[in-house]
């Protein structure tokens, strides 16, 4: 399946595809800038804010957004905000993003039932999950409530 997707991508007309990808990337930077501005009370320069969002998205040295957070923290501190207030603004922005993603998942799961399924786990990780999941506490709760022969967690 991955190979077929890679082949289809390789033979696709690259012009419109690259233009769409570049437009989507620029749109994320343009949307991240007002999101950051909304987390602080001080007015920030918009052009610099967009440039820092670009720098934050291009920072892949540290894992899972730590680099982006460091870039944004530095920007806010260079704009004259204290470290504690800058870190709080980043936490507010991250929390709002998590809430928005959760709401989007809830809406999509409701609109398209059966599309979201738990991933299949195989190999060593699957054996570990079968051994440790569900935790003993959940197993005992399920057994007490539903009986030992019920199909539960």
């Amino acid at each position: 399946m991955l190979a077929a997707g890679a082949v289809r991508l390789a033979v696709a007309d690259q012009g419109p595809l690259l233009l769409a990808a570049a437009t989507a990337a620029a749109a994320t930077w343009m949307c991240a800038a007002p999101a950051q501005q909304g987390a602080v009370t001080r007015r920030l320069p918009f052009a610099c804010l967009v440039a820092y969002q670009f720098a934050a998205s291009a920072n892949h040295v540290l894992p899972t957004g730590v680099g982006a957070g460091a870039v944004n923290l530095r920007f806010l501190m260079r704009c004259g905000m204290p470290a504690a207030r800058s870190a709080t603004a980043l936490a507010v922005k991250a929390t709002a993003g998590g809430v928005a993603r959760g709401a989007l998942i809830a809406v999509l799961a409701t609109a398209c039932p059966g599309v979201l399924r738990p991933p299949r786990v195989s190999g060593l990780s699957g054996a570990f999950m079968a051994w440790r999941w569900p935790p003993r506490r959940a197993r005992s709760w399920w057994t007490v409530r539903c009986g030992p022969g019920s199909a539960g967690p």
Side-chain angles (χ1 to χ4, degrees):
M1 181 181 223
L2 229 77
V7 169
R8 290 181 65 188
L9 186 61
V11 298
D13 186 14
Q14 304 278 313
L17 187 62
L18 289 176
L19 181 62
T23 303
T28 62
W29 305 323
M30 296 300 286
C31 292
Q36 185 63 60
Q37 178 63 60
V40 297
T41 56
R42 180 178 295 186
R43 188 85 177 130
L44 302 172
F46 188 74
C48 291
L49 192 53
V50 173
Y52 268 85
Q53 296 308 314
F54 168 73
S57 71
N59 186 349
H60 295 291
V61 176
L62 298 172
T64 47
V66 175
V71 168
N72 283 321
L73 183 66
R74 179 185 162 130
F75 170 70
L76 293 174
M77 291 176 65
R78 293 210 38 166
C79 285
M81 293 181 64
R85 186 168 286 182
S86 299
T88 302
L90 293 177
V92 166
K93 181 183 169 192
T95 303
V99 168
R101 286 182 188 100
L104 181 62
I105 289 172
V107 166
L108 291 176
T110 307
C112 307
V115 172
L116 295 177
R117 292 182 299 272
R120 288 196 172 4
V121 185
S122 62
L124 185 58
S125 59
F128 178 74
M129 289 300 288
W131 174 66
R132 279 304 288 162
W133 190 259
R136 293 183 205 285
R137 185 177 194 156
R139 277 190 292 235
S140 64
W141 177 87
W142 189 266
T143 305
V144 167
R145 298 287 186 278
C146 304
S150 62

